[in-house]
Amino acid sequence: MHPKFVPASFFEYILMPDFNPDSPEQKQIILHESMHVRLCHSWDLLLVNFAKVLFWFNPLIYLFENSLREVHEYQADQGVTSSYAPREYATLLLSLITAKPVGSL
């Protein structure tokens, strides 16, 4: 835990800015990140980044990486919605998206 962290996972570690065990929102975030850990998504991304080193000139590798990241998010979201109500989780995601400040030109 560190105040500058954004919720994320890296292999067996879950990175969080803070943790309140009584917060249902943070329990959902922990479950989402633990799904990434359980499904070994860090290994997938490591292999894709290695492939990018070899095939940096091929634009398809970048499209593949974006698609893989999207599938990873859908898989983690599915794990959360099997334990929590989809509407409750969707509300959490919407609040996280809208909480970010929007830059102006």
Side-chain angles (χ1 to χ4, degrees):
M1 289 186 218
H2 191 278
K4 292 186 179 180
F5 282 160
V6 175
S9 61
F10 183 71
F11 291 101
E12 302 277 326
Y13 298 99
I14 295 176
L15 311 172
M16 294 285 290
D18 61 350
F19 180 65
N20 178 4
D22 298 327
S23 170
E25 291 86 12
Q26 285 195 351
K27 287 181 182 178
Q28 291 176 25
I29 292 171
I30 293 286
L31 181 58
H32 176 92
E33 296 304 331
S34 67
M35 290 303 297
H36 285 300
V37 170
R38 190 174 309 136
L39 296 171
C40 301
H41 289 166
S42 294
W43 284 108
D44 291 347
L45 295 176
L46 185 69
L47 291 173
V48 166
N49 281 311
F50 180 69
K52 279 173 45 179
V53 169
L54 296 175
F55 302 110
W56 59 269
F57 54 88
N58 190 342
L60 294 179
I61 195 71
Y62 300 98
L63 294 174
F64 177 73
E65 179 187 20
N66 290 338
S67 297
L68 183 65
R69 287 181 185 270
E70 187 174 356
V71 168
H72 284 173
E73 290 304 317
Y74 285 132
Q75 288 175 336
D77 290 342
Q78 183 180 19
V80 176
T81 56
S82 66
S83 299
Y84 290 91
R87 180 180 282 271
E88 181 182 356
Y89 184 60
T91 303
L92 171 66
L93 292 178
L94 185 61
S95 70
L96 291 173
I97 290 170
T98 57
K100 296 178 182 175
V102 178
S104 62
L105 293 177

